[in-house]
């Protein structure tokens, strides 16, 4: 069965960086992309960006351009999201989600369990 | 940027029908997906491409999309349907989520 298992909770100070992992299993990793979505406490869902596990192409939300980097390791079927220069308003649960590559406007059919990132001095 | 507007809350009695709207400029020309999120859990896809249901999602969940409004309909509502619901579209190289609707079962 398809599973996306994310790394554990993180506590970071303002200005630091965080790197969250998302290990995929149960499907052919390179046939899909991974999007990252975050949710601040009590708030809605915010898309952060997408990476193709097929060729590494990325597409980042304009709001996060320059602060976020998404990568994949096809040898371990793992996707990573690094966010730099953390601020208090980056405190959120971060989710990875699977979507097909080469399919227009595809849905996120499987999600990771979420990783809480807390930014606090 | 593209904006999707949902009512903050919808209340419905058990066994009745809940309708959750998602408003956007000419949204009928886009593909709409819907997610259910229960407290402390990750979102779950309940409707994709306007009206298709993933396997395992009850037939009570249905969707439609036309003009400036997409609608998620939950028939014969059960207590277990109480959750937040989000619509989502792809627009101008970005994924956009709706503001979210909390469904309360009375």
């Amino acid at each position: 069965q398809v599973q996306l298992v994310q790394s554990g909770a993180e506590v970071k100070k303002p200005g630091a960086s965080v790197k969250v992992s998302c290990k995929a299993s149960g499907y052919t990793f390179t046939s899909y992309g991974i999007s990252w979505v975050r949710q601040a406490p009590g708030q809605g869902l915010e898309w952060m960006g997408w990476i193709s596990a097929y060729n590494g192409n990325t597409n980042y939300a304009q709001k996060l351009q320059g602060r976020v980097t998404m990568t994949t390791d096809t040898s371990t079927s793992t996707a990573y999201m690094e966010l730099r220069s953390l601020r208090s308003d980056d405190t959120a649960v971060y989710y990875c989600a699977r979507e097909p590559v080469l399919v227009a406007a595809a849905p996120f059919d499987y999600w990771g369990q979420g990783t809480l990132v807390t930014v606090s001095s | 940027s593209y904006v999707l507007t949902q009512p903050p809350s919808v209340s419905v009695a058990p066994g009745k029908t809940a309708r959750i709207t998602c408003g956007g400029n000419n949204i009928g020309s886009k593909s709409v997906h819907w997610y259910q999120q229960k407290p402390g859990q990750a979102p779950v896809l309940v409707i994709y491409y306007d009206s298709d249901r993933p396997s395992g999602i009850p037939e009570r969940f249905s969707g439609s999309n036309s003009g400036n409004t997409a609608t998620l309909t939950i028939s014969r509502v059960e207590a277990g349907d109480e959750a937040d619901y989000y619509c989502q579209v792809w627009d101008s190289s970005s994924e956009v989520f709706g503001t979210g609707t909390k469904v309360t079962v009375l």
Side-chain angles (χ1 to χ4, degrees):
Chain A
Q1 73 284 20
V2 174
Q3 281 193 303
L4 299 174
V5 179
Q6 299 183 221
S7 48
E10 304 262 15
V11 179
K12 297 292 183 180
K13 293 192 182 304
S17 298
V18 69
K19 191 170 186 177
V20 179
S21 68
C22 170
K23 184 171 176 58
S25 62
Y27 71 96
T28 302
F29 185 63
T30 52
S31 294
Y32 290 81
I34 294 287
S35 268
W36 290 88
V37 176
R38 68 180 181 178
Q39 186 171 37
Q43 302 302 308
L45 303 173
E46 178 188 14
W47 179 74
M48 300 177 65
W50 170 88
I51 181 167
S52 166
Y54 174 70
N55 58 13
N57 284 352
T58 55
N59 178 24
Y60 300 139
Q62 191 169 11
K63 173 183 176 181
L64 296 172
Q65 287 272 4
R67 285 208 301 140
V68 67
T69 300
M70 297 175 187
T71 57
T72 59
D73 181 346
T74 56
S75 69
T76 60
S77 298
T78 302
Y80 298 92
M81 185 283 300
E82 182 180 33
L83 189 61
R84 300 176 294 279
S85 302
L86 289 168
R87 310 186 289 247
S88 58
D89 62 356
D90 292 317
T91 294
V93 175
Y94 289 74
Y95 294 102
C96 60
R98 186 186 84 158
E99 64 177 306
V101 294
L102 304 179
V103 176
F108 303 146
D109 58 356
Y110 287 92
W111 295 63
Q113 83 275 19
T115 296
L116 175 61
V117 175
T118 303
V119 183
S120 174
S121 56
Chain B
S1 60
Y2 194 75
V3 175
L4 293 174
T5 302
Q6 299 181 233
S9 62
V10 167
S11 297
V12 59
K16 300 299 186 182
T17 298
R19 292 182 180 84
I20 304 159
T21 58
C22 175
N25 185 35
N26 198 24
I27 194 174
S29 67
K30 303 181 185 299
S31 294
V32 180
H33 313 306
W34 289 91
Y35 302 89
Q36 175 194 69
Q37 186 181 32
K38 296 182 179 179
Q41 297 184 19
V44 172
L45 181 67
V46 293
I47 291 290
Y48 64 103
Y49 292 128
D50 297 344
S51 58
D52 291 337
R53 263 180 298 103
S55 61
I57 300 301
E59 291 183 8
R60 301 182 298 102
F61 288 82
S62 62
S64 63
N65 184 20
S66 178
N68 292 319
T69 304
T71 302
L72 172 68
T73 300
I74 311 173
S75 304
R76 301 180 301 282
V77 165
E78 302 175 356
D81 299 331
E82 189 162 283
D84 294 327
Y85 291 83
Y86 295 90
C87 55
Q88 179 223 337
V89 302
W90 169 259
D91 177 80
S92 300
S93 300
S94 290
E95 304 282 3
V96 180
F97 286 99
T99 49
T101 298
K102 180 175 181 59
V103 170
T104 300
V105 180
L106 300 171

